[in-house]
Amino acid sequence: MYVLGISCYYHDSSAALLKDGVIVAAAEEERFTRKKHDASFPLNAIRYCLESQHITINEVAFVGFYEKPFLKFERILSQHLEMFPFSFKTFVSSLPSWINQKLRVMKTIRKKLQYQGNVFFIHHHLAHAASSFLVSPFDKAAVLTVDGVGEWTTTSYGLAEGNEIHLMKEIKFPHSLGLLYSTITGYLGFSVNNSEYKVMGLSPYGNMNKTENKYYHQLKKIIDIKDDGSYRMDMGYFTYHYGDKMPSRRLCKLLEGKIRKPESEVTQRHKDIAAALQMITEEVLFKMLKHLHAVTKCDNLIIGGGVALNSVANGKILRNTPFKKIWIQPNATDGGNSIGVASYIYHTILNHPRNFTLTTAYLGPSFTNSEIKNFLDSNKVTYAAFADEKELVSTTAKLIYENNVVGWFQGRMEWGPRALGTRSILSNPCNKKMQEILNQKVKHREKFRPFAPVVCEDDALTYFDCDQPIPEPTDYMLMVYPVKKEWRKKIPAVTHVDGSGRLQTIRRIQNPSYYDLIKEFGTLSGVPILINTSFNIRGEPIVCTPHDAYKCMMGTGIDYVMMGKYLIKREENPKDKWDSETVAKD
Amino acid sequence: MTAAKLFLKSVGKGMKGFGEKITAFVNTMLLLLVYLVGVGLTSFVARIFGKHFLERKTSKKVNSYWSDLNIKKQEREKYYKQF
Ligand SMILES: [Fe+2]
């Protein structure tokens, strides 16, 4: 039996397909349309899911949507009623999309998919909880969901067991830890709903001492945190409940300055504000989790929602709360909810026992060697072919060791916002200048952001101070841990200013060639760690197809791309024609 | 001939842009009417009776802001509903 889950119309729309309870395909729409965080109806992602199983929509037994649209609309109307007349501008800008699109999900599914079967709608935070718990290794777990906002809920907790989830308590809009984080992200001059992770990365540069950091005390004035972690915010400092700009004048005054202009200098004040925000986020999370443990008396923890991507906080949870085990799915934000609703339909509504644990994020499209060769030949690309995987691995390791920047395009695309070794750019972490080289050649990102390391799971404890046993979310770059002191100077390109690393652990069973490559690099360099960063041009989604990968290489300074069994060297190919997007097609 | 075609094309483009602007203006006026009459009046009456649509207040007196949610497995029919 096939069940299709859909998530769309806010940000990061996606589709996921379950076959008899097993997730067989999942992808975000942005990868196909090439529009970052694309929120449109995920027609391309659905098409991919169906084609991957060689089925049509007629063979799908149930379709699920990741939230209750009318309940969400009730909240939107309530905002306008409460905030009249200040909400006029957002009323005019948002109402048409509600009437024409968001309240017509059912019609859209019928029309665009030609689907006549049943459509289920589940609560947004239930979808977050289900998307993690129902594919987790736990039979029983305490659940916490924290995001910007769903229908009304912004934070919820409960207990899940077997194939059922009970969400007991909530914090309602407008009070939202996720929107607090987004507001400060906007204040610091970064894009909201996109660059929250940059603020997290900036925070260690600020003063992390609560007594000394004055912005910590300032921000504490706008959030009332109770002992059980529940919170409310002083909405006088915010405008998101009626306006389009998030930081208010009052907030600017509190933080002693205007909203930072994008690309302008990041000062110590900005860094201290980022640190203050991170400290408050962790304070709320740890208090909530202690309360949740006291209520549920369960040692296993599941987290869902956008705030679950705060890997700095995640890495501290087991050391600061009574929980003993933690699990988060690789796509814990709204995009991941398509998995949540599909799993909830199959396991909970239809009452099938759970039979699947998510152990890899490789759920997206893949391309065979003959498809890749076809693309390369038809676009007259100069390339070489490897005899076997051993040669692919040893050549790539050597190129990386020689400080080349290598695009690694192998197998099925990752599910979620992180590149995890199938659409990655890899390079040498031992080279002091590699951060600068990567930024110059490809990423053009802010100087304060270090790159992330990938290490084989069996080597991780040699180089990083991880929790033990190493939590599985580390496989998805969801846990930040300290780099062991003796290694910090040896892998400078992946060591943050506070000595931490946002590592990915990899097990051979998940991705044999990636694992072997890291080990091979270790043989050459003495350090079995690579820099792993996403394979994309700044501002674009991660590459999906051979066309995207080749275009990315030719538009940047990536030296080589390993595409399936083929090696492509940038210098051997003419750049000019790839300046035009119209030349090559898949 | 080509010049005439180009001229007609640019006139067509201009008309289209003008039409779009008119549509946007009419839509905004209609939405303004809905906003003033629908939202404004309801909001006005609600304020007279002290009704709030969002819980905005913080309180030093309460020990917790958690409120009951109680979402658990329901009958299948409930999941067909969009509310
Ligand atoms: Fe969400």
Side-chain angles (χ1 to χ4, degrees), chain A residues 124-125 128 147-150 305-306 333-334 337:
Chain A
H124 184 101
H125 276 251
H128 274 311
D147 69 356
V149 60
T333 183
D334 283 6
N337 279 2

Side-chain angles (χ1 to χ4, degrees), chain A residues 370-381 383 577-578 583-586:
Chain A
S370 73
E371 283 171 320
I372 294 170
K373 187 174 187 307
N374 218 355
F375 163 79
L376 298 172
D377 289 340
S378 58
N379 287 285
K380 298 188 175 59
V381 175
Y383 62 89
K577 74 172 195 171
W578 285 87
V583 179
K585 289 197 171 62
D586 293 312

